[in-house]
Amino acid sequence: MRSGVQRGAIAVVQVFGLAVWFSVSAVVPTLRQEWGISAAAAVWLTGSVQLGFVAGAVGSSLLNLADRIRPHLLLAVSAALAAGWTLLLAGLVDGMATAIPLRFLTGMCLAGVYPVGMKLMASWAPSRGRGLAMGLLIAALTIGSALPHLIGGLGSLPWRAVLVAAACTGLLGALVAATVVRPGPHLAASAAVHNPRYALTMFTERGPRLANLGYFGHMWELYALWTWIPTFLLASEAGRNLPASTGITVFVTIGIAGAVGCLLGGWGADRYGRSPAAVAALVISGACCVLSPLAFDAGPGVLVVFCVVWGAAVIADSGVFSTSLSEAADPRFVGTALTAQTAIGFALTVVSIQLVPLLAAAVGWRFAFLLLAPGPFVGAIAMGRLGARLAR
């Protein structure tokens, strides 16, 4: 009973704490008009968060913070600080010069929310049920990341009000982390050992290396899709004729479909194995990349169904990689391994997020997502090899 309560509380913290992640991205159209910035400049409102996350994750890995500080306290403080930087942006900022540093700091703090949440969830899940537990965590991440789109899509709120709502949600998540969340019995008792080199030495082990390669291919696609799916929809004639606003459509794609996909992926990982579940999701999402030019010109109904399938597949495997690494890495340094994995993965997202609009400027948004296809297909090959290795 207690494990169920703790898993639920950790998931709630992820939903609330990560609401600030895409809070500014959800209001970019308004900011472009009000601040007079180009699309290329607006990219950095998301890119700076990703870079901040990488910096925070690298620092946390080198210092083994996720393995040396009581994880629920690190989670609470990180969520509160991320919300605080967002509140400051909402209240005082009127341009990119101040917004970018604040978004960078927000990303740094989020490096203490997502990876630490993964470690806490793993601490409450035995190996046989860890896939579904991680699926629940990633489902919470998708809903939290998409929440600002829902807040903005339900009414004509000023952009500052959207940010304040997201920040207040994050503060509530910090409160839950501090008062309810606690580490579970599957947390390694020797986790306080300091070994900053493990962030790199884990790549010398074939199991963690293949799990990481699968994750990196997945990340090449994921955040670029999440960042640019609103623009893709607006550029499509079918997207312009959708019955619901773009914000709500994006929330359904990322939040609802993504959450369902995460739970299905986690269940599949426990039922059929980590590698088969990951390969299935990667192949489906890679196929969606390839088929995206056809969906671009399809009718509104077909486009919505396509986005829902893609939104579910693109995130369904995320918890599988976390589960695989948590089981393959040295149990004393699971937090460090997960944080290093996410640091490198998010560094890749900065590149793909930047390249998609450049390709769109050259060939149009119809073909822009073709750039993402190599990621999931490379990831599928790596996870297939991992599955073959484990089957021996």
Side-chain angles (χ1 to χ4, degrees):
M1 178 66 178
R2 188 186 177 198
S3 64
V5 172
Q6 284 295 320
R7 291 182 197 178
I10 295 166
V12 166
V13 173
Q14 295 298 302
V15 172
F16 291 170
L18 295 172
V20 301
W21 198 314
F22 281 91
S23 56
V24 175
S25 303
V27 296
V28 159
T30 302
L31 294 181
R32 287 190 60 191
Q33 294 179 0
E34 187 170 320
W35 292 355
I37 57 177
S38 65
V43 167
W44 287 104
L45 292 170
T46 299
S48 57
V49 181
Q50 309 298 96
L51 287 174
F53 185 97
V54 172
V58 169
S60 177
S61 295
L62 293 176
L63 297 173
N64 292 113
L65 293 183
D67 296 317
R68 300 171 70 196
I69 298 176
R70 297 176 70 184
H72 64 287
L73 296 180
L74 179 60
L75 178 63
V77 171
S78 299
L81 288 173
W85 296 126
T86 304
L87 276 176
L88 192 62
L89 193 156
L92 301 177
V93 174
D94 289 307
M96 293 286 284
T98 312
I100 295 300
L102 287 176
R103 293 301 285 160
F104 182 88
L105 291 171
T106 301
M108 286 190 68
C109 296
L110 290 175
V113 177
Y114 173 38
V116 176
M118 286 193 290
K119 178 177 181 176
L120 283 164
M121 187 65 82
S123 77
W124 283 104
S127 179
R128 65 181 179 275
R130 191 169 292 174
L132 184 57
M134 286 296 188
L136 174 63
L137 182 86
I138 307 301
L141 176 146
T142 64
I143 295 173
S145 299
L147 197 57
H149 290 285
L150 178 63
I151 295 171
L154 290 177
S156 301
L157 291 177
W159 68 267
R160 295 184 190 275
V162 174
L163 266 60
V164 169
C168 290
T169 303
L171 290 173
L172 182 58
L175 180 63
V176 174
T179 59
V180 179
V181 173
R182 293 295 183 271
H186 301 285
L187 189 68
S190 58
V193 178
H194 184 56
N195 181 15
R197 291 190 298 273
Y198 191 73
L200 296 178
T201 57
M202 69 171 172
F203 289 98
T204 64
E205 304 167 16
R206 183 170 173 79
R209 184 169 65 250
L210 289 172
N212 278 313
L213 286 175
Y215 177 76
F216 299 155
H218 153 82
M219 289 297 282
W220 176 262
E221 177 191 18
L222 176 62
Y223 276 86
L225 176 66
W226 279 6
T227 299
W228 295 113
I229 190 67
T231 305
F232 178 84
L233 289 172
L234 289 172
S236 167
E237 182 177 351
R240 291 193 294 270
N241 292 324
L242 289 174
S245 72
T246 299
I248 294 176
T249 303
V250 171
F251 176 76
V252 171
T253 298
I254 298 175
I256 303 302
V260 172
C262 289
L263 295 175
L264 287 174
W267 171 82
D270 288 334
R271 178 68 176 82
Y272 300 106
R274 315 306 189 205
S275 295
V279 170
L282 288 162
V283 169
I284 293 172
S285 63
C288 288
C289 293
V290 174
L291 295 174
S292 59
L294 298 178
F296 185 84
D297 288 332
V302 173
L303 182 59
V304 169
V305 172
F306 178 81
C307 288
V308 167
V309 172
W310 200 354
V314 75
I315 190 67
D317 49 355
S318 190
V320 178
F321 301 119
S322 306
T323 304
S324 297
L325 186 60
S326 72
E327 294 170 347
D330 187 324
R332 296 172 299 169
F333 308 114
V334 168
T336 297
L338 291 171
T339 306
Q341 181 191 62
T342 53
I344 299 171
F346 277 90
L348 284 174
T349 70
V350 177
V351 179
S352 60
I353 286 172
Q354 295 287 330
L355 291 179
V356 166
L358 294 179
L359 181 61
V363 300
W365 278 101
R366 178 179 179 178
F367 301 102
F369 286 146
L370 292 176
L371 175 72
L372 305 180
F377 289 131
V378 169
I381 293 171
M383 293 305 291
R385 291 179 177 175
L386 178 61
R389 176 179 179 272
L390 295 176
R392 292 195 191 103

